Amino acid sequence: MKGAAMRRYTARGVVIGTLKYGDKGMVVQMLTSTVGRQSYMVQGLGSRRGHGARQALFQPMFALEFEGLESPKMEMHRLGEVHAGIVLQSIPFDVKKSSIALFMAEVLYRLVKESEANAMLFDFVWGSVEALDAAAEGVANFHLWFLSNLCRFLGFSPGNEYMPDAWFDIAEGFYTSAEPPREHAMSQQNALILRDMLECDVRYLGEVGLNRRQRVDFLNALLAYYAYHLDTIHSVQSVRILQEVF
């Protein structure tokens, strides 16, 4: 029936993964503003004029505005017109920022499975791309800020207010004045850093003074927190890159 015609829609999206498809094709995974996480088939990516520029748009955490196409006859959505939604000034050219972008994309690829729109999550992710690209100071803390705040949208952010000298119980999701069981305990120092990351305006991340050892230790504590609630965090391979770079 003609009623099953192709539907066109416009949306914003952030690239979280790609997979080569044949000689001139690619499957692009995006977190989108209107249809949640979605896979898009992109074809015709050869050496012809203009297609190289199109292919360059599909990098980790690139923010796009696009026309999507879907039909009951197609297994995957397709992309029509597509262009940069945020014209990135630094992420593609800064090794530290591009390493963080790769990590952010892999975390979202592994952890976010919903195929329905989540406006609050999407706005956080889109805003994080803008913030990382604009950051002049505090870049070394950005991945810690991102992970600390992402848990708000994944359903396991801290359930109470921080108190002086508190520990954090990763199983219960609460700050506590009593030391939790060892396997569930985030240290007092890391609990304080978690509080700082949750309360810090991303523009002032440079004011959170952490040395390399503290960053590595806090990242490991965050990964333990995530692993308790979402086991798929173990498959994020780019963690090793951040531990080396920062």
Side-chain angles (χ1 to χ4, degrees):
M1 291 180 63
K2 293 185 178 181
M6 186 175 293
R7 181 178 80 90
R8 296 175 180 266
Y9 60 93
T10 57
R12 293 180 297 154
V14 176
V15 177
I16 61 173
T18 59
L19 179 66
K20 184 177 173 60
Y21 184 85
D23 293 333
K24 297 183 180 181
M26 178 187 294
V27 177
V28 179
Q29 291 275 348
M30 283 199 281
L31 189 65
T32 76
S33 57
T34 59
V35 289
R37 176 175 172 163
Q38 194 62 245
S39 300
Y40 292 89
M41 175 63 70
V42 183
Q43 293 181 309
L45 297 175
S47 58
R48 290 179 298 162
R49 185 180 303 173
H51 287 280
R54 179 179 169 94
Q55 186 168 355
L57 290 171
F58 306 124
Q59 304 297 317
M61 298 306 288
F62 273 37
L64 309 177
E65 294 179 351
F66 65 93
E67 178 186 57
L69 312 171
E70 68 168 329
S71 165
K73 296 180 180 180
M74 300 189 305
E75 291 185 9
M76 275 184 278
H77 291 215
R78 309 254 173 159
L79 285 177
E81 292 294 321
V82 57
H83 60 269
I86 301 172
V87 180
L88 299 175
Q89 303 296 322
S90 63
I91 291 175
F93 316 107
D94 183 309
V95 172
K96 290 183 177 180
K97 289 187 177 183
S98 59
S99 296
I100 291 172
L102 178 64
F103 172 74
M104 292 164 64
E106 190 180 359
V107 165
L108 294 168
Y109 180 86
R110 301 292 183 190
L111 303 189
V112 178
K113 304 298 184 185
E114 293 84 355
S115 58
E116 294 184 3
N118 181 332
M120 294 179 67
L121 171 61
F122 180 81
D123 288 345
F124 168 71
V125 171
W126 186 273
S128 295
V129 176
E130 291 180 313
L132 178 60
D133 195 57
E137 298 180 350
V139 173
N141 292 332
F142 195 93
H143 58 297
L144 305 176
W145 175 88
F146 179 77
L147 267 189
S148 296
N149 285 275
L150 178 63
C151 65
R152 297 179 192 269
F153 307 97
L154 300 180
F156 56 96
S157 61
N160 65 338
E161 295 294 322
Y162 177 81
M163 60 202 77
D165 300 317
W167 302 74
F168 185 71
D169 188 323
I170 67 173
E172 299 297 329
F174 282 95
Y175 295 106
T176 173
S177 57
E179 183 177 358
R182 184 177 181 85
E183 65 273 18
H184 295 159
M186 187 180 289
S187 72
Q188 291 165 303
Q189 182 185 44
N190 285 328
L192 177 59
I193 297 172
L194 178 61
R195 189 284 307 268
D196 290 345
M197 290 295 168
L198 290 169
E199 294 188 356
C200 182
D201 185 309
V202 67
R203 295 171 296 178
Y204 303 112
L205 267 178
E207 297 179 10
V208 181
L210 301 176
N211 60 37
R212 186 177 186 279
R213 182 192 59 78
Q214 289 172 315
R215 281 193 291 271
V216 170
D217 190 48
F218 180 58
L219 176 58
N220 289 334
L222 274 180
L223 293 173
Y225 180 33
Y226 268 76
Y228 183 85
H229 297 277
L230 294 169
D231 186 60
T232 48
I233 193 71
H234 289 304
S235 59
V236 176
Q237 300 297 312
S238 53
V239 168
R240 295 197 303 274
I241 297 174
L242 294 187
Q243 290 171 331
E244 292 175 4
V245 174
F246 301 108

